[in-house]
Amino acid sequence: MSEQPSNRGTEQAAHEFEHHRPGALAEALKRAAAALREADVPFMLCGSMAAWVRGGPEPFTKDVDLCVKEADADRALDALAEMGMTTERPPEGWL
């Protein structure tokens, strides 16, 4: 038996697809970068969006990856939280 197409509406599907486009994340990237710059936290764009801006394939992602030094992690989280962004500390020691 073959899988049947989803019953989701076209508008919902388009919204979900757009959420994964780099342009849909541009505002979050700008806000995060501004917060980190204002707090004088060195950072770099990493992950699929970094690859994309350097000529890689267009990413299909829901997030923006920013790398900071371990010594700056608390200041970075504080700066992003002050900007109104949700922050988390994952349990993994390597993140």
Side-chain angles (χ1 to χ4, degrees), residues 12-33:
Q12 180 184 356
H15 173 72
E16 289 174 6
F17 182 72
E18 185 62 30
H19 183 70
H20 293 86
R21 293 288 194 177
L25 296 172
E27 189 59 34
L29 173 58
K30 289 177 191 176
R31 289 180 57 220

Side-chain angles (χ1 to χ4, degrees), residues 19-22 24-26 28-29 45-50 59-66:
H19 183 70
H20 293 86
R21 293 288 194 177
L25 296 172
L29 173 58
L45 180 63
C46 51
S48 60
M49 286 191 73
F60 189 76
T61 186
K62 292 182 182 181
D63 65 358
V64 174
D65 299 309
L66 298 171

Side-chain angles (χ1 to χ4, degrees), residues 5-14 16-17:
S6 170
N7 288 331
R8 293 183 305 175
T10 306
E11 185 176 313
Q12 180 184 356
E16 289 174 6
F17 182 72

Side-chain angles (χ1 to χ4, degrees), residues 43-84:
F43 69 95
M44 68 179 188
L45 180 63
C46 51
S48 60
M49 286 191 73
W52 174 65
V53 299
R54 300 293 295 170
E58 184 173 333
F60 189 76
T61 186
K62 292 182 182 181
D63 65 358
V64 174
D65 299 309
L66 298 171
C67 295
V68 299
K69 293 179 181 178
E70 185 176 0
D72 296 324
D74 288 331
R75 288 189 315 121
L77 286 173
D78 290 344
L80 295 172
E82 286 177 22
M83 179 65 75

